[in-house]
Every structure is written in structure tokens, then in C-alpha cells.
């Protein structure tokens, strides 16, 4: 092909791939020589990657947003294994202090010393969720009562509602000590603080304490008000989570006069229901906290027995074990289930136990036929 002046365009350059040699010609077809085409990396060329030019505070701000919205531990671990700079910046106290609870959703089967150190690092950075999760693991799983209680207290001082409620349960039961270590007034005070922060289980526990006069002067009307408030907050939480995930809620809000069937007989399309069935609502059971799921998985891998003569809380979303024999109260109707708190008993009653509970006479007959005798200090909890 020729130009308007009659000259020919230069031929395509002859390129040698192995030696990276390029031969070029000018428009007059004169040979201009041979040279190597050099390929420099950004570091060699003196032009670093644009990401390396970002200040550390901007990268830390990005990692803080990532840790606060992480849906699983792997979301954060993928950052740590990317490069050395990512690892050093992601492990800064600013990033770890804002980590979400789901970032600490460690499986019990994957528990290791490195996971323990990571939770300890996050708690030292001031993350209240890490303090609460590690405190629960140390108190109930690793049998380190003092360290676990202090970590939960550290989270409670920072107005962490689940930590306040867990400390209230410990005070109600005298966990980690004897029956004489129970402090009902302290339990009610901690429960009231957690209820003030909007913790649903604390609202329920406080309502039952007021109705029964347990650790506080009996006030049935005020107790009923707290129970209604707990149900209202639970419904609001379920509806907000459903709207965020674009789930259909019209099936939950349909009234049904029949009791909710047990989980084994329930249709998969019909979710479980806690206390909200009292108000004609079918809503899913609340999601358990990662610390509670860890406790349940930890003892499930050990046969469901915390120790000789010890029992787990029968509510599937709890996972708390007894720290001494006959610590938890058991159902006064059947005696087959036991609970760490009145809130767990009320939830499990509507979710499962209402359809399974047998009369107390049958339970007493079984005890007389050769069952184990009930110790004198074994408390019972009234059925709903």
C-alpha cells in the first residue's frame, strides 16, 4: 500500500520473541538498526503500583469498613493472606476494634491456639464482641471462670447487652460456685440494664422475674408489660431483617388457632415460632449469637455431656452448660428438660417443649420405678 506521495508504508517489524529483538525500517526502507525492547516492572522502572501510593490511613479505613461488615471469618482472613502490607495494616487496633460479631463465628471443630490468640488480640484492641465471645468460651468451655467473667465484665462496662445478660444468668444460677453464691438482686440489676439497652431475652427474663417475684418485689402488671415489649421488639427485629433480605412476611403474620407443631413434624416452609404466637404471628426463631453456637457445637462434639452429672440448657439456641450438679432449674411438669433461665424456658416452650411435655405424675412414676432420685437442691421451673 502506497501513500499519496507514492511512498510505501513500512513493513511490519520483524520481532524475535526469544531475544525480544525488534527490527525497524524508516519510510525510505533504510535499516535503522536492532535494539532490545526492555520490559521493566514498576519497581525497576521507578514507577510503583498505584495502590502502594495510597496512605496507610486510607487503607486502614477501608479495612475497618470490611471488618465491620464481614459475614464470616474467611472474609477477613482472605485479606491477611494477600500480602505483608495488608496483614500488618489489617491487624491494627483500629481495624480489629470495629470487627463485627460474625467475624468471630469460629467453628468449635476449628478451635486452635491461633484462634484463641486472634480473639485475645481483638479483645485487647477494645472490641467488645471479642471480649464477650472469648469470655463465654473461657468461662464455659475452657473452665477458666475468672478470666472469662472478667472479659464479659469488660464488655458489660461498655454497655454490651449480651454480656450484661450473660452475667445476669451467672448471678441467678451462681455459676462457677456453689448454690450459696447466687445473687438474685445483682442478676435483676444486670438484667434490667440489658433490657434498657433493648436485649430481648433480658426483657423476657425481667418480665418473668417481676411476675414471679424472683429477686425483686412482685409486680404482675409490670412484668406483663415487659413481656409484651419483648414480643414487640422481636417482631420489629424479624421484620427489619426480612425487609433487608427481601423475604416474604405475609405467611408469618397469618393468625392460626392451632398450636405450633414440633420442629420434627413442621413443614419446611413454615418456620418455627417463639412467644409471638401469643399474638397471632408465625415468625422464625431468632438467630443464636456466635458465642452460643460455639458452646452448642463444643459440647455436641463431646457427646452433649459437659461433665459427670452435668446438663446442658435444653433451649437449642442457648448452649450454656451447668458448672455444678443441679445448677439449672428443670420443668415442673415433666422434669425431662432444664433451663439456665426463665427466658430460655419460655422460648423453648413455644418452640418445641409445649408439644412434648408429659404430666409430672408420669415423671414421678418413672423415678419410682428405678430412675435417679432428685436431689434436694434441684430447683424446678414452672411450665408456661
Amino acid at each position: 500500500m502506497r501513500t499519496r506521495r507514492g511512498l510505501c508504508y513500512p513493513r511490519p517489524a520483524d520481532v524475535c520473541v526469544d531475544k525480544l529483538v525488534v527490527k525497524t525500517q524508516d519510510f525510505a526502507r533504510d535499516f535503522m538498526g536492532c535494539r532490545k525492547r526492555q520490559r521493566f516492572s514498576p519497581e525497576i522502572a521507578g514507577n510503583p503500583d498505584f495502590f502502594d501510593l495510597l496512605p496507610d490511613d486510607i487503607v486502614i479505613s477501608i479495612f475497618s469498613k470490611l471488618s465491620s461488615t464481614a459475614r464470616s471469618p474467611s472474609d477477613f482472613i482472605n485479606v491477611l493472606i494477600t500480602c505483608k502490607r495488608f496483614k500488618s495494616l489489617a491487624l491494627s487496633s483500629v481495624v480489629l476494634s470495629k470487627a463485627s460479631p460474625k467475624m468471630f463465628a469460629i467453628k468449635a471443630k476449628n478451635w486452635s491456639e491461633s484462634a484463641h490468640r486472634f480473639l485475645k488480640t481483638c479483645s485487647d484492641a477494645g472490641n467488645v464482641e471479642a471480649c464477650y465471645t472469648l469470655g463465654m468460651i473461657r468461662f464455659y468451655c475452657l473452665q477458666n471462670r475468672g478470666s472469662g467473667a472478667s472479659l464479659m465484665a469488660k464488655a458489660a462496662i461498655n454497655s454490651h447487652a449480651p454480656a450484661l445478660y450473660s452475667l445476669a444468668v451467672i448471678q441467678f444460677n451462681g455459676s462457677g460456685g456453689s448454690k450459696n453464691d447466687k445473687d438474685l438482686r445483682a442478676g435483676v440489676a444486670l438484667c434490667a440494664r440489658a433490657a434498657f439497652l433493648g436485649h430481648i431475652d433480658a426483657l423476657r427474663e425481667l418480665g418473668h422475674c417481676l411476675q414471679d417475684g424472683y429477686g425483686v418485689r412482685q409486680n404482675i402488671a409490670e412484668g406483663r408489660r415487659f413481656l409484651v415489649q419483648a414480643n414487640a421488639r422481636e417482631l420489629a427485629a424479624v421484620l427489619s431483617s426480612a425487609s433487608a433480605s427481601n423475604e416474604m412476611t405475609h405467611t408469618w403474620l397469618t393468625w392460626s388457632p392451632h398450636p405450633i407443631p414440633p420442629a420434627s413434624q413442621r413443614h419446611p416452609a413454615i418456620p418455627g415460632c417463639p412467644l409471638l404466637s401469643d399474638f397471632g404471628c408465625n415468625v422464625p426463631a431468632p438467630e443464636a449469637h456466635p458465642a452460643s453456637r460455639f458452646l452448642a457445637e463444643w459440647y455436641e462434639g463431646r457427646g452433649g455431656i459437659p461433665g459427670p452429672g452435668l446438663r446442658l440448657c435444653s433451649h437449642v439456641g442457648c448452649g450454656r452448660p451447668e458448672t455444678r450438679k443441679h445448677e439449672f432449674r428443670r420443668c415442673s411438669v415433666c422434669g425431662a428438660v432444664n433451663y439456665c433461665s426463665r427466658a430460655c424456658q419460655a422460648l423453648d416452650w413455644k418452640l418445641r417443649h409445649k408439644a412434648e411435655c408429659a404430666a409430672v405424675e408420669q415423671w414421678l412414676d418413672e423415678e419410682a420405678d428405678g430412675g435417679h432420685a432428685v436431689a434436694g437442691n434441684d430447683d424446678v421451673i414452672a411450665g408456661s
Side-chain angles (χ1 to χ4, degrees):
M1 182 180 295
R2 295 179 179 272
T3 64
R4 292 181 180 180
R5 296 183 180 181
L7 299 178
C8 295
Y9 284 105
R11 295 179 181 179
D14 298 327
V15 180
C16 179
V17 177
D18 295 333
K19 297 182 179 180
L20 295 177
V21 176
V22 181
K23 294 182 179 180
T24 60
Q25 293 177 337
D26 59 0
F27 285 105
R29 302 179 66 87
D30 294 332
F31 179 70
M32 297 180 61
C34 178
R35 64 181 178 83
K36 289 185 178 180
R37 185 173 61 188
Q38 298 179 351
R39 297 181 179 179
F40 295 107
S41 64
E43 297 179 355
I44 297 176
N47 297 320
D49 188 7
F50 288 111
F51 186 81
D52 295 334
L53 299 178
L54 288 176
D56 288 350
D57 55 350
I58 294 180
V59 180
I60 289 176
S61 177
I62 296 173
F63 287 163
S64 299
K65 183 65 175 178
L66 173 65
S67 65
S68 63
T69 58
R71 297 182 179 180
S72 64
S74 61
D75 291 346
F76 189 73
I77 294 174
N78 291 334
V79 174
L80 299 180
I81 64 178
T82 301
C83 63
K84 291 183 178 179
R85 188 189 182 205
F86 275 23
K87 182 177 181 180
S88 61
L89 295 179
L91 291 178
S92 64
S93 59
V94 177
V95 177
L96 297 180
S97 63
K98 298 180 180 179
S100 65
K102 293 185 177 180
M103 207 179 87
F104 307 122
I106 303 172
K107 298 289 186 181
K109 63 180 180 181
N110 298 331
W111 179 253
S112 62
E113 188 61 31
S114 60
H116 195 167
R117 287 196 304 268
F118 177 72
L119 283 175
K120 182 65 169 60
T121 303
C122 294
S123 63
D124 292 340
N127 189 296
V128 293
E129 287 291 346
C131 291
Y132 172 65
T133 302
L134 184 58
M136 290 283 287
I137 293 174
R138 284 186 176 180
F139 189 90
Y140 288 109
C141 299
L142 304 183
Q143 313 299 322
N144 193 342
R145 314 293 186 195
S147 177
S150 64
L151 283 172
M152 284 188 279
K154 181 180 178 181
I157 291 173
N158 291 278
S159 299
H160 188 259
L164 286 164
Y165 176 68
S166 294
L167 291 175
V169 173
I170 291 174
Q171 294 295 330
F172 281 136
N173 297 322
S175 301
S178 65
K179 186 177 180 180
N180 296 328
D181 293 325
K182 291 182 179 182
D183 192 341
L184 303 186
R185 289 183 176 274
V188 170
L190 290 167
C191 209
R193 177 60 181 168
F196 174 78
L197 296 173
H199 194 268
I200 297 175
D201 288 341
L203 283 167
R204 238 181 227 122
E205 184 74 19
L206 187 60
H208 286 291
C209 288
L210 286 168
Q211 283 191 328
D212 302 337
Y214 189 74
V216 67
R217 181 178 298 179
Q218 188 176 21
N219 190 332
I220 298 177
E222 189 71 9
R224 181 60 180 171
R225 186 179 71 84
F226 276 108
L227 292 178
V228 172
Q229 186 177 356
N231 283 269
R233 285 185 175 271
E234 186 177 48
L235 178 59
V238 169
L239 292 179
S240 62
S241 62
S243 61
S245 58
N246 295 325
E247 294 182 7
M248 300 299 293
T249 60
H250 64 275
T251 57
W252 302 348
L253 304 179
T254 54
W255 180 83
S256 175
H258 304 290
I260 303 298
S264 59
Q265 303 175 6
R266 191 182 304 132
H267 192 273
I270 302 177
C273 178
L275 289 183
L276 280 172
S277 60
D278 294 338
F279 301 95
C281 300
N282 261 339
V283 299
E287 183 180 2
H289 192 277
S292 299
R293 290 201 300 267
F294 184 93
L295 297 184
E297 294 173 0
W298 178 274
Y299 289 108
E300 182 180 356
R302 288 158 177 75
I305 302 176
L310 302 181
R311 306 166 296 186
L312 292 173
C313 180
S314 298
H315 178 41
V316 293
C318 178
R320 289 182 176 86
E322 290 182 323
T323 59
R324 67 174 187 277
K325 291 184 178 180
H326 312 301
E327 176 183 339
F328 292 164
R329 297 175 293 270
R330 61 180 175 181
C331 179
S332 62
V333 179
C334 65
V337 294
N338 48 90
Y339 303 101
C340 66
S341 62
R342 285 167 169 76
C344 282
Q345 188 266 346
L347 283 171
D348 194 61
W349 174 260
K350 286 292 182 181
L351 184 64
R352 175 184 62 90
H353 189 55
K354 184 176 183 179
E356 302 174 354
C357 189
V360 68
E361 291 81 9
Q362 179 181 355
W363 167 48
L364 293 176
D365 291 342
E366 292 177 358
E367 295 286 349
D369 291 341
H372 298 287
V374 180
N377 62 344
D378 192 10
D379 297 330
V380 295
I381 186 169
S384 298

